[in-house]
Amino acid sequence: GSALIYLKGPKFLIYVSGALSMWGDRMWHFAISVFLIELYGRNLLLTAVFGLVVAGSVLLLGALIGDWVDRNPRNKVAHASLFIQNISVTVCSIVLMLVFLYKQRIEQIWDGWLTVVCYTVVIVLADVANLASTALTIAIQRDWIVVITGYNRGHLAGMNATMRRIDQVTNILAPLAVGQVMTLASNVVGCGFILGWNLVSLIVEFFFLSRVYRIVPALSIKPPVEEEEQNPVYEGNSTQAEPLTEGNCDTSLHLKEITNLPLCFRRFRWLVSTCKDGWKAYYRQPVFLAGMGLAFLYTTVLGFDCITTGYAYTQGISGSLLSLLMGVSAITGLMGTVMFTRLRKSYGLVNTGIISSCLHLGCLLLCVCSVFAPGSPMDLSLLVPFINSSSSELEEIVSQRKKHAFPLRGGSNQPLLPDRSSIHWTNNTLLFDNVPSDTVPESYISIILLFLGVITARIGLWSFDLTVTQLLQENICESERGVVNGVQSSMNYLMDLLHFIMVISAPQPQHFGILVIISVLFITTGHTMYFLYAHK
């Protein structure tokens, strides 16, 4: 009887709905990278454009998405986000299927411009799906969960940890599942599989979320945003809270000029004002430093994304071993969620973040040691321009310093910008088919220390991430919960873009050690911000 009650309860329904959504997201983000590479002749250009569009759109529209979540009823936000996300993926899958089936004919229409139109439609639809996924994540994981738990901190920590465990498991299994379908069948069948999954998932998630909304009456109660905005407590300057009707001729003239603007300009002005107010609301939050600290952790190459795995491949690590390491990293990530719940119960939420930060930084010291360990290809002299050297001498010097760098044969299908739908440390990576021949480095000590640090650091990393997530849930007022989490997503994407700029600036394997040191400095800065928050 108790088991039946639990299965019909809101927590289980949220877990199932979240699992279906995360599974679909992981499959889609893995598959779209492969599809774009296949469409463009195994070139990374389309994948890079897609990654930049996705990151740029969330960066610019994060505050607007959060504001939309705050201003509308919870059921309408969840249903609209769910519908837009799944329908966008469905239509995009149909377009991809048509392009794969009739690619040669499409290339002959309009002198090839129809192909460009198809690529544009695919990228735009995929970006819309990602924006809708961001809105759904903010609504369910940052708002609904808080209300469902009745603002009980212990229950909230348990639900956050469970949702993160589901995310960890789906991050490994979902790409493998769709990858097997694409390998054993074809890309067209893979598109059809994703299409069918999204349609079924849409119906199930819609039903489950509707039921949760009905059985939790508190979800239907939502304070109006306008009342909060008029409250002087939330204004950074007391003069802003004063009424506009002061008899000031300049003020009335300014308002008259605004109302006389064309509709498009007024809407644009409102959008800019909303973004500005969202960033101001984020800045004045008591957990501002903790949120910024989490964002700084995104500027790193020390994760299982395409950058680190690509570097490991140049050091003679096979694709099968990389897949095994990804599985081990998922296990350590699950250990981090377990550690979070126990530490929070024993030492409190703020102290849990301090312990997690120290553990994370301590493990990353192994990565710093790997830079100077035997087998490391780092060569600082490559960053110094050889003005007095001739081109032939320069080529000879560079070739001699590439003794640890190996060609990326079989890595042509590696996505440049991987999945950014959640936390980037668990991004999907397209594994390499084979290991290059005759690629035995002088020593494996460096690469062993690197992955030992990356894998063990995930325990403290995920515990810290859950800590900041719950701090944001507990300390942000209900009327600003959406916009603040939207700005937090924008900050995460902004810092994430910085780490790709780092890689573009120093792309050689000999430069990877420098990127590791810079990453640890950014992570240290992020944890320092959290320490300042904890001290306050």
Side-chain angles (χ1 to χ4, degrees):
S2 59
L4 187 60
I5 293 175
Y6 176 78
L7 294 178
K8 292 182 178 180
K11 287 186 178 181
F12 179 77
L13 296 178
I14 286 291
Y15 292 153
V16 175
S17 176
L20 292 173
S21 179
M22 293 174 191
W23 188 282
D25 280 347
R26 296 302 187 182
M27 284 199 309
W28 172 245
H29 283 282
F30 176 84
I32 188 64
S33 298
V34 180
F35 292 155
L36 291 176
I37 293 171
E38 291 290 337
L39 287 176
Y40 208 66
R42 296 187 176 272
N43 190 293
L44 297 175
L45 178 61
L46 276 184
T47 309
V49 171
F50 169 68
L52 291 175
V53 169
V54 167
S57 60
V58 177
L59 177 61
L60 295 176
L61 304 177
L64 294 176
I65 293 173
D67 182 73
W68 175 72
V69 172
D70 285 333
R71 290 179 179 273
N72 292 276
R74 289 188 173 95
N75 61 335
K76 291 184 178 180
V77 169
H79 293 161
S81 302
L82 184 65
F83 182 81
I84 294 173
Q85 178 194 8
N86 286 273
I87 294 301
S88 298
V89 173
T90 300
V91 176
C92 191
S93 299
I94 294 174
V95 174
L96 285 170
M97 292 174 67
L98 295 176
V99 172
F100 279 122
L101 289 173
Y102 306 104
K103 185 177 181 181
Q104 293 182 351
R105 295 183 182 179
I106 293 175
E107 290 175 349
Q108 297 173 358
I109 301 176
W110 298 348
D111 295 329
W113 283 103
L114 183 58
T115 306
V116 178
V117 173
C118 293
Y119 294 162
T120 304
V121 170
V122 168
I123 292 176
V124 170
L125 288 174
D127 183 47
V128 171
N130 184 74
L131 292 174
S133 176
T134 301
L136 187 63
T137 300
I138 294 174
I140 302 300
Q141 299 187 27
R142 301 294 184 266
D143 184 30
W144 281 45
I145 288 179
V146 181
V147 179
I148 290 172
T149 57
Y151 298 88
N152 183 294
R153 295 182 176 181
H155 295 167
L156 181 60
M159 285 200 73
N160 285 332
T162 302
M163 293 294 286
R164 196 53 48 85
R165 290 165 192 156
I166 295 173
D167 182 64
Q168 289 280 296
V169 174
T170 56
N171 183 61
I172 299 298
L173 298 181
L176 291 178
V178 70
Q180 290 298 316
V181 173
M182 294 162 57
T183 302
L184 298 177
S186 65
N187 289 330
V188 176
V189 177
C191 291
F193 180 74
I194 294 175
L195 187 152
W197 177 276
N198 276 272
L199 291 178
V200 174
S201 177
L202 172 63
I203 297 173
V204 177
E205 289 182 65
F206 188 92
F207 175 76
F208 280 7
L209 292 179
S210 299
R211 179 168 178 78
V212 171
Y213 188 81
R214 287 196 304 268
I215 63 180
V216 182
L219 289 174
S220 60
I221 304 173
K222 196 171 187 180
V225 178
E226 289 78 11
E227 294 179 3
E228 297 292 342
E229 290 178 346
Q230 294 173 2
N231 193 338
V233 175
Y234 294 101
E235 295 295 335
N237 191 345
S238 60
T239 59
Q240 296 177 353
E242 297 178 2
L244 294 176
T245 57
E246 297 176 349
N248 189 324
C249 60
D250 294 335
T251 303
S252 60
L253 179 62
H254 180 63
L255 291 175
K256 185 176 180 180
E257 291 176 354
I258 293 176
T259 55
N260 289 334
L261 288 174
L263 180 61
C264 59
F265 287 101
R266 276 184 284 167
R267 288 183 176 178
F268 178 75
R269 186 185 183 91
W270 177 81
L271 291 176
V272 174
S273 176
T274 302
C275 290
K276 183 179 178 181
D277 293 341
W279 285 90
K280 285 183 177 179
Y282 178 73
Y283 175 74
R284 66 171 177 257
Q285 296 299 321
V287 290
F288 165 72
L289 286 175
M292 284 292 294
L294 177 63
F296 266 72
L297 268 60
Y298 277 73
T299 308
T300 178
V301 296
L302 301 174
F304 276 92
D305 58 4
C306 59
I307 305 300
T308 305
T309 51
Y311 168 76
Y313 189 70
T314 65
Q315 300 304 297
I317 304 299
S318 65
S320 58
L321 180 57
L322 283 174
S323 62
L324 178 62
L325 293 175
M326 287 184 67
V328 176
S329 69
I331 295 175
T332 56
L334 294 174
M335 292 171 59
T337 62
V338 175
M339 187 183 77
F340 163 74
T341 55
R342 296 186 177 181
L343 288 178
R344 192 212 61 84
K345 188 175 182 179
S346 301
Y347 302 102
L349 190 60
V350 176
N351 290 331
T352 297
I354 296 176
I355 297 172
S356 303
S357 296
C358 295
L359 178 60
H360 187 207
L361 289 173
C363 294
L364 290 182
L365 291 178
L366 294 174
C367 300
V368 177
C369 294
S370 71
V371 175
F372 307 98
S376 173
M378 189 182 74
D379 194 343
L380 295 176
S381 61
L382 282 179
L383 297 179
V384 181
F386 297 93
I387 301 177
N388 298 325
S389 300
S390 64
S391 59
S392 59
E393 293 175 349
L394 179 59
E395 292 177 359
E396 182 179 356
I397 294 174
V398 172
S399 62
Q400 291 176 356
R401 287 167 181 165
K402 287 185 177 180
K403 58 184 179 180
H404 298 299
F406 306 112
L408 286 173
R409 310 172 189 169
S412 59
N413 55 351
Q414 184 71 1
L416 180 63
L417 297 178
D419 172 21
R420 290 285 176 260
S421 61
S422 179
I423 301 296
H424 71 288
W425 300 286
T426 60
N427 284 339
N428 306 321
T429 303
L430 193 59
L431 296 179
F432 299 98
D433 296 328
N434 60 327
V435 61
S437 57
D438 301 329
T439 58
V440 180
E442 295 180 356
S443 176
Y444 285 103
I445 296 178
S446 176
I447 197 67
I448 290 174
L449 287 175
L450 176 68
F451 277 96
L452 185 63
V454 170
I455 291 174
T456 55
R458 294 170 69 83
I459 301 176
L461 173 64
W462 280 111
S463 179
F464 179 79
D465 174 74
L466 286 170
T467 299
V468 177
T469 297
Q470 185 154 342
L471 285 172
L472 293 172
Q473 292 171 329
E474 292 181 1
N475 293 278
I476 299 173
C477 62
E478 189 173 355
S479 62
E480 293 183 325
R481 196 174 287 155
V483 68
V484 172
N485 280 284
V487 175
Q488 180 67 47
S489 299
S490 297
M491 280 299 306
N492 295 343
Y493 274 86
L494 174 62
M495 303 306 293
D496 189 32
L497 282 176
L498 291 181
H499 110 273
F500 282 110
I501 295 175
M502 286 165 40
V503 177
I504 293 172
S505 303
Q508 298 298 328
Q510 294 87 348
H511 302 155
F512 191 79
I514 300 172
L515 300 181
V516 170
I517 296 175
I518 295 175
S519 299
V520 173
L521 291 177
F522 269 95
I523 293 172
T524 303
T525 303
H527 287 305
T528 301
M529 290 181 177
Y530 180 82
F531 293 151
L532 293 175
Y533 162 78
H535 178 71
K536 290 175 62 178

